[in-house]
Amino acid sequence: MAKHAEATLDTICNTLLSYYPDAKVDLVRKAHEFASHAHRNQKRSSGDPYIIHPTEVAQTLAELKLDIPSIVTGLLHDTVEDTDATLEEIEKLFGRDVAELVDGVTKLNKITFKTSEEKQAENFRKMVLAMSKDIRVILIKLCDRLNNMRTLEHLSSAKQKTISQETLDIYAPIANRLGISWLKIDLEDLCLRYLHPDAYYKLAQKVSKKKTEREDYTDEVAQILHEKLGEYDMRATVSGRAKHFYSIYKKMERRSADFDQINDMIAFRIIVENITECYKALGVIHATYKPVPGRFKDYIAMPKANGYQSLHTTVIGPHGERVEIQIRTQEMHNVAESGIAAHWKYKEGKFDSSSRENIEWVHRLLEWNKDLLDPNEFMETVKIDLFAEDVFVFTPKGEVRELPHGATPLDFAYAIHTDVGNKCVGAKINGKIIPLKHRLKSGDTVEIITSPTQTPSKDWLKIVKTSRAKAKIRAYIKTQERDRAHQLGKELLERSLKAFDRTIAKAEKSGEMLRAGQDFQVRNLEELYIAVGYGRILPEQILDQVVPKEEREAIRKARKDADKEEAPSFLKKVFASAQKRSPTKNAIIVSNLSDVLIRFGRCCNPLPGDSVVGFITRGRGVTVHTATCAKGLDNDQERRVEVRWNIQEKGNIVRIVKIRVVSIDQPGLLALMSQTISACAVNIASANIRTTKDKKAIALFEVQVPDTGQLQKVLSALEAKQGVILVERVRS
Ligand code: MN
């Protein structure tokens, strides 16, 4: 690690002007002044004035050739978090762009990584990216972290370890993904120094002690390789470089061996003209030196996630030592050095749709220092929504969960556990209670509130976003409906059997029931009852099998004789509740059955004359909707049963229907309308009238009618009256 010269306002401005000659440095000066003032009473742990830190961060950003807003943000990045300065103030003085960047960095600083589990680290890295909608936020954060790492010696050992671990788990991999390899290397070596100081200093000592020896060795091997390739008329550049500490350390760890050999510190690089030459060079090397088995890697055919391409091999070199060699083209070398994140999108597998844009900006990231004089132009292209399709949220324990964009607390609950989802009644986000349909944002801490009495509802399907949650809710609803159909089917059968002095229990025990079911391709009794509940099998059909025809005839005959026999108490109960719900008895026939509890959908309020469908519902019985009712169509079609109006009951049926009459406001209106309705021999259950500002009257009547024909008469009679604008039947 090179010792860095102290950054000052002047070094920042000079660096900026070196790649952006037209830069207006006034804003940078103003930001430096603002930050100096804001941090005037603060000191770094080292005892230095605080302003040194943001100045260093801004300097690194300038060295990365970033734009003015990024450099200004580098200077301001800690002011909102650590001083009295506010975002409003910063927006006023430095503009919207800077204010947004400062806000982005401040938000990133607030999240702390809590576990060191590998998968969590990966999710956390994604979250950091997701929270930085602007790539510059990440770059500023990386430079901030680099300076923090460089000044870590002044902190307590515990803090050194925590910050280093976080840097190693989160920020170094992000730098690697962005392809900024020098930043990754610096961060990793600093982490090693604090996480494993013994190993670090031992390595440092060995490397410096063998400096001359190392350089001699490097020159010698590079020369030999160059000559060998020359023998095959290949033009190649060969060089050797010392590997960074952390990579040596990792290698030692992998081999669980101590580090001693000079050749372990060095990697050789052969740069040739094209891909064919790469493989040719590999051939020459392998023909000359014996390759170490299992050490050859073809990153040309299979590039690394960040776009890195090379051939890697290890051979037994001129002195019988292992020599690591990388072979690549100049173009591959540029990518490896300058950084490319193009293929990182492919790795996540989620950017296919937008990858064109992403690839474009990455290409520009590679080339911008060549072609673009105005970095602003470049920066416009990097303001992309990274991971726009995902949100990353915390569990109360600090674990990170990945959910699709637009996900709600219900999705989160089902992601935790099906039971948590099924029992979810509410959620807290960052400690505040929010509605279930609330959309989660990256960085939210989500706590699910459950209740043992809660059950999933159909409406949840409209709220949830993940297929997992949808599947679980559907499965629950389906099970519920099956349970209900099961219950209903048993009831219907029990009732039918009881009329012939049988019970389900007896028929089950004797095996009659199962035999009866075999005719209908059901596998077991449960399926049989469900089929009856859903109306696919009629109780009569089962009855045919269980009670012999002769026996039924005999019983029926006996019944006729004892005409006054009381109805079973069960039936009485059903009728009683049916009557309570509807003034109409036996208005509907369900699949040739009688005595089924009927309810009418309040949404469409069917009338005799309307074509109708029935649905087996929760609780017992069947709900009747008009054939066109949207709510009816919404129902699970599996629960659908055939229903029709009972023509024999015609004359006994009376249904209450609402009608609305809009007319011009005139005296005596209500009386006139009431007379008109009564004249059709129809009773009025209630009447209500209100007038509007534009001199209209809206009347609402509840009338008792036997069927649609009678209703139509009433509607027509009202329509015919003078001053009436509109007459309609109200559904719902
Ligand atoms: Mn900072």
Side-chain angles (χ1 to χ4, degrees):
M1 269 157 287
K3 182 93 184 134
H4 292 264
E6 198 173 290
T8 63
L9 175 59
D10 284 337
T11 61
I12 296 169
C13 291
N14 289 338
T15 310
L16 174 60
L17 287 167
S18 74
Y19 63 91
Y20 186 19
D22 297 338
K24 297 201 172 65
V25 294
D26 292 2
L27 205 67
V28 179
R29 294 190 184 281
K30 194 161 101 180
H32 190 268
E33 198 182 316
F34 182 90
S36 301
H37 182 73
H39 292 297
R40 67 191 177 280
N41 293 326
Q42 289 171 294
K43 291 234 183 301
R44 297 281 283 167
S45 306
S46 60
D48 289 335
Y50 196 89
I51 188 64
I52 290 179
H53 165 66
T55 305
E56 291 283 354
V57 172
Q59 176 66 38
T60 313
L61 288 163
E63 278 159 19
L64 279 170
K65 296 192 168 74
L66 267 96
D67 64 347
I68 294 177
S70 308
I71 293 166
V72 167
T73 304
L75 289 166
L76 301 175
H77 78 273
D78 277 331
T79 55
V80 171
E81 205 178 343
D82 295 346
T83 76
D84 297 336
T86 65
L87 271 180
E88 291 73 34
E89 212 175 333
I90 284 173
E91 184 171 345
K92 224 170 98 192
L93 288 168
F94 301 98
R96 186 75 193 265
D97 198 20
V98 170
E100 277 177 3
L101 289 173
V102 172
D103 190 35
V105 179
T106 306
K107 277 187 184 139
L108 269 191
N109 286 343
K110 283 193 180 133
I111 53 176
T112 37
F113 182 60
K114 295 172 196 169
T115 79
S116 63
E117 193 200 319
E118 184 53 37
K119 197 173 147 248
Q120 289 297 315
E122 179 56 28
N123 279 339
F124 201 92
R125 285 194 285 272
K126 285 188 196 168
M127 178 158 79
V128 167
L129 294 172
M131 287 185 70
S132 333
K133 292 223 168 112
D134 188 324
I135 190 90
R136 292 176 296 177
V137 171
I138 300 174
L139 292 170
I140 296 160
K141 178 69 193 171
L142 286 173
C143 293
D144 178 33
R145 181 52 60 111
L146 178 67
N147 188 251
N148 287 336
M149 287 302 298
R150 282 176 176 164
T151 53
L152 209 56
E153 58 190 318
H154 305 291
L155 296 187
S156 70
S157 154
K159 268 197 168 161
Q160 285 173 348
K161 289 218 155 42
T162 313
I163 294 172
S164 297
Q165 192 63 52
E166 189 183 72
T167 303
L168 193 63
D169 287 339
I170 313 299
Y171 292 103
I174 288 176
N176 183 39
R177 277 188 178 179
L178 291 173
I180 312 168
S181 50
W182 69 265
L183 186 53
K184 174 204 142 184
I185 286 171
D186 273 15
L187 288 175
E188 282 181 347
D189 280 355
L190 284 162
C191 291
L192 183 67
R193 178 167 149 195
Y194 293 104
L195 290 172
H196 305 283
D198 290 353
Y200 176 87
Y201 287 109
K202 216 164 129 189
L203 270 174
Q205 212 178 20
K206 277 185 179 169
V207 168
S208 72
K209 208 167 75 185
K210 299 193 175 176
K211 188 164 184 271
T212 331
E213 201 185 329
R214 197 180 69 223
E215 282 167 1
D216 291 348
Y217 171 81
T218 307
D219 289 348
E220 186 206 340
V221 174
Q223 183 64 27
I224 297 171
L225 289 174
H226 193 261
E227 278 166 19
K228 285 282 169 206
L229 291 165
E231 286 171 23
Y232 291 85
D233 294 328
M234 293 185 67
R235 282 198 292 155
T237 314
V238 184
S239 58
R241 64 180 172 99
K243 292 194 277 189
H244 72 288
F245 289 3
Y246 187 69
S247 73
I248 301 172
Y249 169 78
K250 269 207 308 203
K251 195 168 153 187
M252 282 162 46
E253 250 202 340
R254 263 202 309 274
R255 293 206 205 137
S256 58
D258 205 10
F259 151 88
D260 239 355
Q261 306 289 320
I262 292 168
N263 54 292
D264 283 336
M265 295 177 207
I266 297 160
F268 289 89
R269 188 171 293 147
I270 299 172
I271 295 175
V272 292
E273 276 176 2
N274 53 46
I275 291 180
T276 319
E277 297 274 284
C278 290
Y279 290 100
K280 201 173 154 193
L282 180 76
V284 172
I285 301 295
H286 281 185
T288 312
Y289 300 111
K290 205 177 163 55
V292 177
R295 297 287 302 161
F296 170 61
K297 291 206 180 75
D298 186 348
Y299 292 120
I300 291 178
M302 308 269 279
K304 282 192 184 177
N306 63 6
Y308 176 88
Q309 287 186 296
S310 270
L311 299 176
H312 287 192
T313 189
T314 303
V315 296
I316 305 300
H319 305 292
E321 79 291 16
R322 295 156 75 98
V323 180
E324 282 182 41
I325 300 168
Q326 301 166 350
I327 306 166
R328 53 174 77 151
T329 66
Q330 186 61 47
E331 200 189 332
M332 292 170 192
H333 183 62
N334 292 345
V335 169
E337 291 295 296
S338 323
I340 180 165
H343 299 271
W344 137 49
K345 276 118 221 147
Y346 294 130
K347 194 198 173 195
E348 304 310 328
K350 280 166 192 158
F351 289 106
D352 284 335
S353 55
S354 59
S355 62
R356 226 188 138 82
E357 272 175 62
N358 289 325
I359 287 167
E360 201 181 335
W361 77 253
V362 172
H363 278 301
R364 297 184 75 162
L365 181 66
L366 286 173
E367 289 166 3
W368 70 309
N369 39 15
K370 274 193 248 158
D371 306 331
L372 293 171
L373 267 187
D374 182 357
N376 289 323
E377 197 186 317
F378 163 72
M379 280 309 168
E380 278 310 306
T381 67
V382 297
K383 275 194 187 180
I384 53 155
D385 225 349
L386 296 157
F387 291 93
E389 287 155 37
D390 301 299
V391 291
F392 298 90
V393 294
F394 287 114
T395 68
K397 282 184 192 155
E399 289 160 8
V400 179
R401 297 278 167 159
E402 180 180 355
L403 293 167
H405 181 78
T408 62
L410 270 177
D411 290 298
F412 177 86
Y414 277 103
I416 299 292
H417 195 277
T418 305
D419 282 347
V420 177
N422 285 343
K423 302 274 171 236
C424 175
V425 287
K428 280 185 191 171
I429 286 183
N430 308 324
K432 254 169 66 186
I433 291 189
I434 46 91
L436 280 182
K437 62 179 182 202
H438 180 94
R439 293 184 168 204
L440 301 176
K441 286 200 298 291
S442 280
D444 282 347
T445 296
V446 188
E447 190 185 332
I448 295 298
I449 306 162
T450 58
S451 155
T453 57
Q454 174 70 311
T455 56
S457 96
K458 221 168 203 168
D459 294 338
W460 286 12
L461 289 170
K462 292 178 198 147
I463 297 174
V464 297
K465 191 87 185 169
T466 52
S467 46
R468 181 188 158 84
K470 275 184 189 153
K472 296 291 180 192
I473 295 166
R474 283 213 187 91
Y476 182 88
I477 290 170
K478 196 151 188 193
T479 313
Q480 286 294 99
E481 282 171 357
R482 273 176 69 90
D483 287 352
R484 282 174 202 134
H486 183 246
Q487 199 187 340
L488 176 66
K490 262 187 119 165
E491 270 176 34
L492 291 171
L493 277 174
E494 191 76 84
R495 227 184 297 165
S496 302
L497 289 169
K498 196 157 191 171
F500 300 97
D501 297 326
R502 304 289 176 99
T503 62
I504 285 185
K506 265 191 238 161
E508 276 184 6
K509 210 171 170 189
S510 66
E512 286 169 311
M513 190 62 91
L514 197 58
R515 268 200 301 283
Q518 274 159 4
D519 288 357
F520 302 96
Q521 269 101 43
V522 292
R523 277 170 299 185
N524 51 43
L525 286 171
E526 195 194 349
E527 278 190 13
L528 175 65
Y529 300 138
I530 288 168
V532 173
Y534 278 140
R536 287 197 290 266
I537 300 172
L538 300 178
E540 275 83 351
Q541 292 175 292
I542 302 296
L543 216 53
D544 282 345
Q545 313 285 320
V546 176
V547 189
K549 206 172 175 189
E550 312 79 62
E551 194 183 328
R552 271 184 288 151
E553 294 293 325
I555 294 176
R556 283 219 178 94
K557 195 163 172 289
R559 282 279 150 75
K560 250 183 199 163
D561 298 343
D563 201 28
K564 277 183 187 168
E565 196 187 5
E566 246 183 77
S569 60
F570 177 84
L571 286 183
K572 273 206 304 203
K573 203 172 85 194
V574 171
F575 282 134
S577 59
Q579 277 164 336
K580 220 182 278 168
R581 283 167 191 279
S582 158
T584 303
K585 187 174 150 185
N586 296 339
I588 287 281
I589 299 173
V590 182
S591 295
N592 298 317
L593 292 175
S594 53
D595 306 340
V596 179
L597 173 57
I598 298 291
R599 281 187 294 171
F600 290 101
R602 260 186 278 169
C603 40
C604 54
N605 197 21
L607 258 188
D610 287 325
S611 63
V612 283
V613 289
F615 291 92
I616 311 262
T617 55
R618 34 177 95 213
R620 289 170 298 267
V622 168
T623 300
V624 176
H625 293 274
T626 64
T628 52
C629 175
K631 205 155 173 215
L633 291 170
D634 232 24
N635 274 323
D636 186 351
Q637 295 303 310
E638 238 190 316
R639 296 192 288 119
R640 189 178 159 140
V641 287
E642 292 301 315
V643 297
R644 58 185 162 82
W645 295 100
N646 188 353
I647 299 163
Q648 281 163 13
E649 290 291 318
K650 204 176 157 121
N652 295 330
I653 300 173
V654 177
R655 303 266 307 127
I656 290 181
V657 176
K658 276 188 207 162
I659 51 182
R660 182 189 290 123
V661 187
V662 181
S663 66
I664 292 160
D665 191 13
Q666 52 193 329
L669 197 64
L670 195 57
L672 175 76
M673 290 181 188
S674 303
Q675 279 160 20
T676 310
I677 296 169
S678 300
C680 299
V682 165
N683 285 333
I684 300 171
S686 77
N688 196 319
I689 196 161
R690 66 185 176 87
T691 53
T692 62
K693 273 188 196 150
D694 55 349
K695 298 260 180 212
K696 285 197 188 97
I698 299 169
L700 212 57
F701 294 96
E702 282 186 322
V703 296
Q704 296 179 329
V705 288
D707 55 32
T708 49
Q710 191 71 12
L711 176 68
Q712 196 51 51
K713 265 188 212 165
V714 174
L715 298 180
S716 303
L718 284 166
E719 238 163 24
K721 293 292 159 197
Q722 209 181 355
V724 171
I725 301 163
L726 171 86
V727 185
E728 61 181 358
R729 174 178 171 187
V730 183
R731 302 180 189 265
S732 92

